[in-house]
Structures are given as structure tokens and as C-alpha cells.
Amino acid sequence: MVAVKDRKTITLALQGGGAHGAFTWGVLDRLLEDGRLSIEGVSGTSAGAMNAVVLADGLHSGGPDGAREALEAFWRAMPTPLPAWDAQAGDGAGGLWPTDEASRLSAESLPEDGLFGLPSAVLILAARPPK
């Protein structure tokens, strides 16, 4: 284990893109497991915003191990396979993303006092394609 004073402090920007969120979960899991980095802040768009919220809350409530557990619980609760989005049909579903389920899971992942009690800076950007 790396001493806290020897950890490199970083800020993360997490991309969106449906299935990229699941890939990012794996990358975050490895970074958190490694222990050489301290995450000071996180920003995200779409799937990255969901990862950001779950990561920040997990770090706040249980440190790196808590963040790993929270991310795993979030992604394991996501329905699989993710339903495909027909861009030509313009159904507004937000890409390869089940928006209703993802929104519910994200809301359940928030701490009771919202994001205001989290020590990490969290910037969330979300967009839904126009119908």
C-alpha cells in the first residue's frame, strides 16, 4: 500500500457514450485498486456523469474500496444486453443507453444529502438528443 503522502493527486474527466461507461468502470476499478493515485475531482458527461456520481459517493462513504464496490453494484444492476437505439428512428433514447433505468440507478446511487456533502468536486453534464 502506498502512503497517502506519496499518492499523486488527479482530477478525472469521464466520457459518455453508453457502453464506454462500462469500459470506464473497469479502468476506474484498476486505478482505485492500484492505490498510487488520489482522486481529487471528477467530471463526466452522460455515462461518465453516472460513473462520476457513483465514484464520488463511493469515495466519500468508503474510500477507494467503497468506490470500487459502489461502481460494481451500479454496473451489475444495469440491464444486459443494453437495448440498441435506432438513430434513424430518432426515438430519443440517448444512444445505447436505457435512460429510464440508468436515471433510476443514478438517483439511487446519490447520497441522501445529495452531492453537497462529497469532498470531491463533481461536475455533471447530461444531454438528451432532441425528439
Side-chain angles (χ1 to χ4, degrees):
M1 186 73 176
V2 177
V4 173
K5 67 179 181 65
D6 295 328
R7 291 185 187 160
K8 179 172 178 64
T9 301
I10 62 170
T11 301
L12 299 172
L14 307 179
Q15 73 180 31
H20 290 188
F23 173 81
T24 301
W25 160 40
V27 173
L28 291 171
D29 188 69
R30 180 65 185 108
L31 291 175
L32 292 162
E33 178 184 48
D34 183 82
R36 290 181 286 175
L37 301 174
S38 176
I39 299 171
E40 177 180 69
V42 59
S43 66
T45 301
S46 190
M50 291 183 228
N51 274 328
V53 168
V54 177
L55 171 68
D57 182 50
L59 285 170
H60 176 65
S61 61
D65 289 337
R68 292 180 71 211
E69 290 171 12
L71 285 162
E72 180 174 3
F74 176 78
W75 282 102
R76 297 243 182 248
M78 190 62 62
T80 56
L82 293 176
W85 176 58
D86 184 349
Q88 293 180 341
D91 66 5
L96 298 175
W97 203 249
T99 54
D100 292 341
E101 184 68 6
S103 296
R104 182 188 65 76
L105 290 170
S106 294
E108 289 175 1
S109 298
L110 284 171
E112 286 185 22
D113 59 349
L115 298 174
F116 299 108
L118 299 180
S120 297
V122 179
L123 170 64
I124 298 172
L125 304 172
R128 179 180 269 264
K131 289 186 177 185

